[in-house]
Amino acid sequence: MEDNLPNLTQRLTELYYKTSDAEQRISTKGINDYVTSAEAVALIHPQADSMAFHLKNAAESYLSIQQFEQAIYLYDLLISRYPDTEESRKALFRTAFVYDNDLKDF
């Protein structure tokens, strides 16, 4: 990477702030850009700082637009790649909650 470019997690954070506008309205394009980028970084550079945090936020972003299966996929990725994190423990709970509450898959 060139020295004048922000690092990957900084770029992800900047994309996260574009998931909603100034009036806190959801931006589907912003969410898709953020989620795609977070997933790509997690797959090609899993040791990047704050990846568990970004995968959690990506999953929650998908939940906000009712993309439940995609959110579960990201939670599963988080749980498998970062099992010893607080985000992973919360992701396990959230996965069960989505299956129960949103998908009605008991």
Side-chain angles (χ1 to χ4, degrees):
M1 258 189 185
E2 293 183 30
D3 292 334
N4 60 345
L5 294 175
N7 68 32
L8 291 173
T9 54
Q10 184 179 354
R11 288 181 186 188
L12 287 176
T13 300
E14 291 167 4
L15 284 172
Y16 177 69
Y17 289 125
K18 294 179 181 177
T19 61
S20 61
D21 64 16
E23 286 82 38
Q24 297 302 311
R25 292 179 299 209
I26 293 172
S27 167
T28 303
K29 181 189 180 325
I31 287 172
N32 287 329
D33 290 347
Y34 173 64
V35 170
T36 301
S37 297
E39 184 179 1
V41 172
L43 293 173
I44 62 171
H45 193 52
Q47 70 276 18
D49 293 337
S50 308
M51 280 316 307
F53 172 79
H54 284 292
L55 285 175
K56 175 192 67 84
N57 283 349
E60 290 174 0
S61 295
Y62 264 159
L63 289 178
S64 72
I65 58 172
Q66 299 184 348
Q67 298 296 313
F68 303 119
E69 290 84 5
Q70 292 90 334
I72 289 170
Y73 166 77
L74 291 171
Y75 282 138
D76 288 344
L77 184 62
L78 167 59
I79 292 164
S80 68
R81 297 257 175 157
Y82 308 97
D84 297 327
T85 63
E86 182 65 25
E87 288 88 353
S88 178
R89 290 184 281 283
K90 291 178 181 179
L92 186 58
F93 171 80
R94 291 290 290 155
T95 299
F97 185 83
V98 170
Y99 273 118
D100 185 47
N101 219 39
D102 299 312
L103 298 175
K104 307 297 184 208
D105 184 352
F106 308 108

